[in-house]
CSV table of all heavy atoms in Angstrom, one decimal:
chain,number,residue,atom,x,y,z
T,289,THR,N,13.8,6.4,2.0
T,289,THR,CA,13.7,6.0,0.5
T,289,THR,C,12.4,5.3,0.2
T,289,THR,O,11.9,5.3,-0.9
T,289,THR,CB,14.9,5.1,0.1
T,289,THR,OG1,14.8,3.9,0.8
T,289,THR,CG2,16.2,5.8,0.4
T,290,VAL,N,11.9,4.6,1.3
T,290,VAL,CA,10.5,4.0,1.1
T,290,VAL,C,9.4,5.0,1.5
T,290,VAL,O,8.4,5.1,0.8
T,290,VAL,CB,10.5,2.7,2.0
T,290,VAL,CG1,9.1,2.1,2.0
T,290,VAL,CG2,11.5,1.7,1.5
T,291,ASN,N,9.6,5.7,2.6
T,291,ASN,CA,8.5,6.5,3.2
T,291,ASN,C,8.3,7.8,2.3
T,291,ASN,O,7.2,8.3,2.3
T,291,ASN,CB,8.8,6.9,4.6
T,291,ASN,CG,8.5,5.8,5.6
T,291,ASN,OD1,7.7,4.9,5.2
T,291,ASN,ND2,8.9,5.9,6.8
T,292,ALA,N,9.4,8.3,1.7
T,292,ALA,CA,9.2,9.5,0.9
T,292,ALA,C,8.2,9.2,-0.3
T,292,ALA,O,7.3,10.0,-0.6
T,292,ALA,CB,10.5,10.0,0.3
T,293,TYR,N,8.3,8.0,-0.8
T,293,TYR,CA,7.4,7.6,-1.9
T,293,TYR,C,6.0,7.4,-1.3
T,293,TYR,O,5.0,7.9,-1.9
T,293,TYR,CB,8.0,6.3,-2.5
T,293,TYR,CG,7.2,5.7,-3.6
T,293,TYR,CD1,7.3,6.1,-4.9
T,293,TYR,CD2,6.3,4.6,-3.4
T,293,TYR,CE1,6.6,5.6,-5.9
T,293,TYR,CE2,5.6,4.0,-4.4
T,293,TYR,CZ,5.7,4.5,-5.7
T,293,TYR,OH,5.0,3.9,-6.7
T,294,GLY,N,5.9,6.6,-0.2
T,294,GLY,CA,4.6,6.3,0.3
T,294,GLY,C,3.9,7.6,0.9
T,294,GLY,O,2.7,7.6,0.7
T,295,LEU,N,4.6,8.5,1.4
T,295,LEU,CA,4.0,9.7,2.0
T,295,LEU,C,3.4,10.6,0.9
T,295,LEU,O,2.2,11.0,1.0
T,295,LEU,CB,5.0,10.5,2.8
T,295,LEU,CG,5.2,10.0,4.3
T,295,LEU,CD1,6.2,10.8,5.0
T,295,LEU,CD2,3.9,10.1,5.0
T,296,SER,N,4.2,10.9,-0.1
T,296,SER,CA,3.7,11.8,-1.2
T,296,SER,C,2.5,11.1,-1.9
T,296,SER,O,1.6,11.7,-2.4
T,296,SER,CB,4.8,12.2,-2.1
T,296,SER,OG,5.4,11.1,-2.7
T,297,PHE,N,2.7,9.7,-2.0
T,297,PHE,CA,1.6,8.9,-2.6
T,297,PHE,C,0.3,9.1,-1.9
T,297,PHE,O,-0.7,9.4,-2.4
T,297,PHE,CB,2.1,7.5,-2.6
T,297,PHE,CG,1.4,6.5,-3.5
T,297,PHE,CD1,2.0,5.3,-3.8
T,297,PHE,CD2,0.1,6.7,-4.0
T,297,PHE,CE1,1.3,4.3,-4.6
T,297,PHE,CE2,-0.5,5.8,-4.8
T,297,PHE,CZ,0.1,4.6,-5.1
T,298,ALA,N,0.4,8.9,-0.5
T,298,ALA,CA,-0.8,9.0,0.3
T,298,ALA,C,-1.4,10.4,0.4
T,298,ALA,O,-2.6,10.6,0.3
T,298,ALA,CB,-0.4,8.5,1.7
T,299,MET,N,-0.5,11.4,0.5
T,299,MET,CA,-1.0,12.8,0.6
T,299,MET,C,-1.8,13.3,-0.5
T,299,MET,O,-2.8,14.0,-0.3
T,299,MET,CB,0.2,13.7,0.8
T,299,MET,CG,0.9,13.6,2.1
T,299,MET,SD,2.4,14.7,2.1
T,299,MET,CE,3.1,14.3,3.7
T,300,LEU,N,-1.5,12.8,-1.7
T,300,LEU,CA,-2.1,13.4,-2.9
T,300,LEU,C,-3.2,12.5,-3.6
T,300,LEU,O,-3.7,12.8,-4.6
T,300,LEU,CB,-1.1,13.8,-3.9
T,300,LEU,CG,-0.1,14.9,-3.4
T,300,LEU,CD1,1.0,15.1,-4.4
T,300,LEU,CD2,-0.9,16.2,-3.3
T,301,LEU,N,-3.4,11.3,-3.0
T,301,LEU,CA,-4.3,10.4,-3.6
T,301,LEU,C,-5.7,11.0,-3.8
T,301,LEU,O,-6.3,10.9,-4.9
T,301,LEU,CB,-4.4,9.1,-2.7
T,301,LEU,CG,-3.4,8.0,-3.0
T,301,LEU,CD1,-3.4,7.0,-1.9
T,301,LEU,CD2,-3.7,7.3,-4.3
T,302,MET,N,-6.2,11.6,-2.7
T,302,MET,CA,-7.6,12.1,-2.8
T,302,MET,C,-7.7,13.3,-3.8
T,302,MET,O,-8.7,13.4,-4.5
T,302,MET,CB,-8.1,12.5,-1.4
T,302,MET,CG,-8.2,11.3,-0.5
T,302,MET,SD,-9.3,10.0,-1.1
T,302,MET,CE,-10.8,10.9,-1.5
T,303,THR,N,-6.7,14.1,-3.8
T,303,THR,CA,-6.7,15.2,-4.7
T,303,THR,C,-6.6,14.7,-6.2
T,303,THR,O,-7.3,15.2,-7.0
T,303,THR,CB,-5.5,16.2,-4.4
T,303,THR,OG1,-5.6,16.6,-3.1
T,303,THR,CG2,-5.5,17.3,-5.4
T,304,ALA,N,-5.8,13.7,-6.4
T,304,ALA,CA,-5.7,13.2,-7.7
T,304,ALA,C,-6.9,12.5,-8.2
T,304,ALA,O,-7.4,12.6,-9.3
T,304,ALA,CB,-4.5,12.2,-7.8
T,305,ALA,N,-7.6,11.8,-7.2
T,305,ALA,CA,-8.9,11.2,-7.6
T,305,ALA,C,-9.9,12.2,-8.0
T,305,ALA,O,-10.7,12.0,-8.9
T,305,ALA,CB,-9.4,10.3,-6.4
T,306,ALA,N,-10.0,13.3,-7.2
T,306,ALA,CA,-10.9,14.4,-7.6
T,306,ALA,C,-10.6,15.0,-8.9
T,306,ALA,O,-11.5,15.3,-9.7
T,306,ALA,CB,-10.9,15.4,-6.4
T,307,ILE,N,-9.3,15.2,-9.2
T,307,ILE,CA,-8.9,15.8,-10.5
T,307,ILE,C,-9.3,14.9,-11.6
T,307,ILE,O,-9.8,15.3,-12.7
T,307,ILE,CB,-7.4,16.1,-10.5
T,307,ILE,CG1,-7.0,17.2,-9.6
T,307,ILE,CG2,-6.9,16.4,-11.9
T,307,ILE,CD1,-5.6,17.4,-9.4
T,308,GLY,N,-9.1,13.6,-11.4
T,308,GLY,CA,-9.5,12.6,-12.4
T,308,GLY,C,-11.0,12.6,-12.7
T,308,GLY,O,-11.4,12.5,-13.8
T,309,ASP,N,-11.8,12.6,-11.6
T,309,ASP,CA,-13.2,12.6,-11.8
T,309,ASP,C,-13.7,13.9,-12.6
T,309,ASP,O,-14.7,13.8,-13.3
T,309,ASP,CB,-13.9,12.6,-10.4
T,309,ASP,CG,-13.9,11.2,-9.8
T,309,ASP,OD1,-13.6,10.2,-10.5
T,309,ASP,OD2,-14.2,11.1,-8.6
T,310,ARG,N,-13.0,15.0,-12.4
T,310,ARG,CA,-13.4,16.2,-13.0
T,310,ARG,C,-12.9,16.4,-14.4
T,310,ARG,O,-13.6,16.8,-15.3
T,310,ARG,CB,-12.9,17.4,-12.1
T,310,ARG,CG,-13.4,18.8,-12.5
T,310,ARG,CD,-12.9,19.8,-11.5
T,310,ARG,NE,-13.5,21.1,-11.8
T,310,ARG,CZ,-14.6,21.5,-11.2
T,310,ARG,NH1,-15.3,20.8,-10.4
T,310,ARG,NH2,-15.1,22.8,-11.5
T,311,LEU,N,-11.6,16.1,-14.6
T,311,LEU,CA,-10.9,16.4,-15.9
T,311,LEU,C,-10.9,15.1,-16.8
T,311,LEU,O,-10.5,15.3,-18.0
T,311,LEU,CB,-9.5,16.9,-15.7
T,311,LEU,CG,-9.4,18.2,-14.9
T,311,LEU,CD1,-7.9,18.6,-14.8
T,311,LEU,CD2,-10.2,19.3,-15.5
T,312,GLY,N,-11.2,14.0,-16.3
T,312,GLY,CA,-11.1,12.8,-17.1
T,312,GLY,C,-10.1,11.8,-16.4
T,312,GLY,O,-8.9,12.2,-16.3
T,313,ARG,N,-10.5,10.6,-16.2
T,313,ARG,CA,-9.7,9.6,-15.5
T,313,ARG,C,-8.5,9.2,-16.4
T,313,ARG,O,-7.4,9.1,-16.0
T,313,ARG,CB,-10.5,8.4,-15.0
T,313,ARG,CG,-11.4,8.8,-13.9
T,313,ARG,CD,-12.4,7.7,-13.7
T,313,ARG,NE,-13.3,8.0,-12.6
T,313,ARG,CZ,-14.5,7.4,-12.4
T,313,ARG,NH1,-15.0,6.5,-13.3
T,313,ARG,NH2,-15.3,7.8,-11.4
T,314,ARG,N,-8.8,8.9,-17.7
T,314,ARG,CA,-7.8,8.5,-18.6
T,314,ARG,C,-6.7,9.5,-18.8
T,314,ARG,O,-5.5,9.2,-18.7
T,314,ARG,CB,-8.4,8.1,-20.0
T,314,ARG,CG,-7.4,7.5,-20.9
T,314,ARG,CD,-7.9,7.4,-22.3
T,314,ARG,NE,-8.2,8.7,-22.9
T,314,ARG,CZ,-8.6,8.9,-24.2
T,314,ARG,NH1,-8.8,7.8,-25.0
T,314,ARG,NH2,-8.9,10.1,-24.6
T,315,ARG,N,-7.1,10.8,-19.0
T,315,ARG,CA,-6.2,11.9,-19.2
T,315,ARG,C,-5.3,12.0,-18.0
T,315,ARG,O,-4.1,12.2,-18.1
T,315,ARG,CB,-6.9,13.2,-19.5
T,315,ARG,CG,-6.1,14.4,-19.8
T,315,ARG,CD,-6.9,15.6,-20.0
T,315,ARG,NE,-7.8,15.5,-21.2
T,315,ARG,CZ,-9.1,15.4,-21.1
T,315,ARG,NH1,-9.7,15.4,-20.0
T,315,ARG,NH2,-9.8,15.3,-22.2
T,316,THR,N,-5.9,12.0,-16.8
T,316,THR,CA,-5.1,12.2,-15.6
T,316,THR,C,-4.2,11.0,-15.3
T,316,THR,O,-3.0,11.2,-14.9
T,316,THR,CB,-6.0,12.4,-14.4
T,316,THR,OG1,-7.0,13.5,-14.7
T,316,THR,CG2,-5.3,12.8,-13.1
T,317,TYR,N,-4.7,9.8,-15.6
T,317,TYR,CA,-3.9,8.6,-15.5
T,317,TYR,C,-2.7,8.7,-16.3
T,317,TYR,O,-1.6,8.3,-15.9
T,317,TYR,CB,-4.8,7.4,-15.9
T,317,TYR,CG,-4.3,6.1,-15.7
T,317,TYR,CD1,-4.3,5.4,-14.4
T,317,TYR,CD2,-3.7,5.3,-16.7
T,317,TYR,CE1,-3.9,4.1,-14.2
T,317,TYR,CE2,-3.2,4.1,-16.6
T,317,TYR,CZ,-3.3,3.5,-15.3
T,317,TYR,OH,-2.8,2.2,-15.1
T,318,ALA,N,-2.8,9.1,-17.6
T,318,ALA,CA,-1.6,9.2,-18.5
T,318,ALA,C,-0.7,10.2,-18.0
T,318,ALA,O,0.6,10.0,-18.1
T,318,ALA,CB,-2.1,9.5,-19.9
T,319,ALA,N,-1.2,11.3,-17.5
T,319,ALA,CA,-0.3,12.4,-17.0
T,319,ALA,C,0.5,11.9,-15.8
T,319,ALA,O,1.7,12.1,-15.6
T,319,ALA,CB,-1.1,13.6,-16.6
T,320,GLY,N,-0.1,11.1,-14.9
T,320,GLY,CA,0.6,10.5,-13.8
T,320,GLY,C,1.7,9.5,-14.2
T,320,GLY,O,2.7,9.5,-13.6
T,321,LEU,N,1.4,8.7,-15.2
T,321,LEU,CA,2.4,7.8,-15.7
T,321,LEU,C,3.6,8.6,-16.3
T,321,LEU,O,4.8,8.2,-16.1
T,321,LEU,CB,1.8,7.0,-16.9
T,321,LEU,CG,0.9,5.8,-16.5
T,321,LEU,CD1,0.3,5.1,-17.7
T,321,LEU,CD2,1.8,4.7,-15.7
T,322,ALA,N,3.3,9.7,-17.0
T,322,ALA,CA,4.4,10.6,-17.5
T,322,ALA,C,5.3,11.1,-16.4
T,322,ALA,O,6.5,11.1,-16.4
T,322,ALA,CB,3.9,11.7,-18.4
T,323,LEU,N,4.6,11.6,-15.3
T,323,LEU,CA,5.4,12.2,-14.2
T,323,LEU,C,6.2,11.1,-13.5
T,323,LEU,O,7.4,11.3,-13.1
T,323,LEU,CB,4.4,12.9,-13.2
T,323,LEU,CG,5.1,13.5,-12.0
T,323,LEU,CD1,6.1,14.6,-12.4
T,323,LEU,CD2,4.0,14.1,-11.0
T,324,PHE,N,5.6,9.9,-13.3
T,324,PHE,CA,6.3,8.8,-12.6
T,324,PHE,C,7.5,8.4,-13.4
T,324,PHE,O,8.6,8.1,-12.9
T,324,PHE,CB,5.3,7.6,-12.6
T,324,PHE,CG,5.8,6.4,-11.8
T,324,PHE,CD1,5.6,6.3,-10.4
T,324,PHE,CD2,6.5,5.4,-12.4
T,324,PHE,CE1,6.1,5.3,-9.7
T,324,PHE,CE2,7.0,4.4,-11.7
T,324,PHE,CZ,6.8,4.3,-10.4
T,325,THR,N,7.4,8.4,-14.7
T,325,THR,CA,8.5,8.0,-15.6
T,325,THR,C,9.6,9.0,-15.5
T,325,THR,O,10.8,8.6,-15.4
T,325,THR,CB,8.0,7.8,-17.1
T,325,THR,OG1,7.0,6.9,-17.1
T,325,THR,CG2,9.2,7.4,-18.0
T,326,ALA,N,9.3,10.3,-15.5
T,326,ALA,CA,10.3,11.3,-15.4
T,326,ALA,C,11.0,11.3,-14.1
T,326,ALA,O,12.2,11.4,-14.0
T,326,ALA,CB,9.7,12.7,-15.6
T,327,ALA,N,10.3,11.0,-13.0
T,327,ALA,CA,10.9,10.9,-11.7
T,327,ALA,C,11.8,9.7,-11.6
T,327,ALA,O,12.8,9.7,-10.8
T,327,ALA,CB,9.8,10.9,-10.6
T,328,SER,N,11.4,8.6,-12.3
T,328,SER,CA,12.3,7.4,-12.3
T,328,SER,C,13.6,7.8,-12.9
T,328,SER,O,14.7,7.3,-12.4
T,328,SER,CB,11.6,6.3,-13.1
T,328,SER,OG,10.4,5.9,-12.5
Side-chain angles (χ1 to χ4, degrees):
T289 63
V290 175
N291 279 346
Y293 181 81
L295 278 177
S296 60
F297 197 161
M299 287 176 183
L300 295 170
L301 273 168
M302 294 306 305
T303 302
I307 291 173
D309 283 347
R310 190 179 185 87
L311 301 181
R313 291 168 180 158
R314 182 189 67 172
R315 183 182 297 111
T316 309
Y317 186 83
L321 283 173
L323 180 61
F324 186 91
T325 303
S328 296

